[in-house]
Amino acid sequence: MKTLEYVPVPAFEDNYIWVVSDGQDAVVVDPGDAAPVEAYLTKRGWRLTAILLTHHHHDHVGGVAKLLVSHSADREIPVIGPAGEAIDHLTRRVKQGDRVTIASPAMSCSVIDVPGHTAGHIAYFQEADPHGTPHVFCGDTLFASGCGRLFEGTAAQMLSSLDLLAALPDATLVHCAHEYTLSNIRFARAAEPTNAALAAWQAKAQQIRTANQPTVPTTLAHERAVNPFLRVDTGDLQATLAAQFKRPIRDRLDAFTLLRGWKDKF
């Protein structure tokens, strides 16, 4: 089986369009802009064979039409996306429990419903690449050291979605769709000022960005250690929230709701 390469192609100000390739064929995840994808495929000599979409926001789907015009003349390009969202050009609509299998590059993923950022947001979980490493393409649900804003869903939905992602194996590589890491870390340190792993991650992430490299993917084990939105059960974080909002924290949903609202204004 061929080795797969996972490339975050920068787009707009801070988006990443993920390109997965076996060195010949390529799957593109959330192409909000066709131009950087076209340039990268041309540079590497790769052929587009499928498009996966996580949700309907324009910075994730805006390049689909142009990519289809460029690449579907001699073959059909499947465009796979969430069953619960209105997205043009989909050839297959998928939901929780469905499986997506791409023949080339050889890639198989299970679909996870992760509403919250949008009502029908999904993630794609690849249980193992050719080396046995798991990967999750989570769009704008889970970020490095953060999570997505609640544009259409509820705090309860987002917390449940993050719980589903957090339950994936420790080694799972988290392929999120934005370079928000440094700003997320600044908030995370306000929420958990005594977290030593987070302080170390801040220094490392700053070095990575100074070198103009992406801070993603991270692993789920790492996110559980430094991401406050996956740590709403921890006593230190709840104590910070209680002090910030000057009242007791009722439960983990209460903690998450307060944390997300605080981040929105941070």
Side-chain angles (χ1 to χ4, degrees):
M1 184 179 293
K2 295 181 179 179
T3 296
L4 296 180
E5 185 175 350
Y6 299 75
V7 181
V9 175
F12 306 118
E13 291 184 1
D14 51 38
N15 281 70
Y16 287 130
I17 299 168
W18 286 95
V19 179
V20 184
S21 177
D22 60 6
Q24 179 178 349
D25 294 330
V27 173
V28 174
V29 184
D30 284 353
D33 187 2
V37 176
E38 294 280 22
Y40 194 81
L41 293 177
T42 298
K43 174 184 175 182
R44 300 297 300 272
W46 292 348
R47 181 180 72 160
L48 178 65
T49 58
I51 297 172
L52 304 182
L53 305 175
T54 62
H55 66 292
H56 67 83
H57 285 165
H58 186 73
D59 64 322
H60 292 252
V61 305
V64 172
K66 288 185 178 179
L67 289 173
L68 292 177
V69 169
S70 299
H71 295 273
S72 61
D74 59 344
R75 62 192 176 280
E76 181 181 358
I77 305 294
V79 182
I80 301 164
E85 299 200 350
I87 301 175
D88 292 336
H89 309 295
L90 291 184
T91 62
R92 183 183 173 197
R93 299 179 180 274
V94 293
K95 61 184 185 304
Q96 178 79 34
D98 288 341
R99 178 157 290 277
V100 173
T101 300
I102 309 298
S104 184
M107 183 178 173
S108 183
C109 301
S110 58
V111 177
I112 307 172
D113 284 346
V114 286
H117 181 68
T118 66
H121 201 303
I122 61 173
Y124 299 90
F125 176 53
Q126 184 185 16
E127 290 86 349
D129 65 16
H131 297 288
T133 302
H135 300 255
V136 65
F137 300 89
C138 49
D140 287 357
T141 298
L142 176 64
F143 294 130
S145 304
C147 77
R149 286 178 178 263
L150 304 178
F151 286 120
E152 297 174 11
T154 65
Q157 285 178 315
M158 181 62 96
L159 180 58
S160 177
S161 296
L162 292 174
D163 286 344
L164 287 174
L165 296 177
L168 298 176
D170 285 356
T172 303
L173 291 175
V174 179
H175 300 274
C176 58
H178 287 274
E179 183 59 68
Y180 289 160
T181 308
L182 292 181
S183 62
N184 285 342
I185 292 172
R186 286 192 290 272
F187 173 72
R189 293 211 65 190
E192 262 195 304
T194 62
N195 186 330
L198 183 57
W201 171 227
Q202 184 176 38
K204 181 178 179 180
Q206 184 62 66
Q207 290 178 341
I208 292 170
R209 292 306 295 153
T210 298
N212 199 33
Q213 296 298 309
T215 58
V216 294
T218 61
T219 67
L220 267 177
H222 173 78
E223 290 306 313
R224 291 192 205 100
V226 302
N227 190 326
F229 295 98
L230 301 187
R231 297 172 56 79
V232 292
D233 294 324
T234 62
D236 285 353
L237 189 147
Q238 290 197 7
T240 299
L241 290 171
Q244 174 73 17
F245 291 93
K246 298 179 174 57
R247 68 166 178 80
I249 304 304
R250 295 187 295 271
D251 53 33
R252 64 194 304 268
L253 176 57
D254 186 34
F256 178 82
T257 304
L258 292 173
L259 189 69
R260 184 60 257 182
W262 184 15
K263 177 64 168 66
D264 288 344
K265 300 174 182 177
F266 189 78

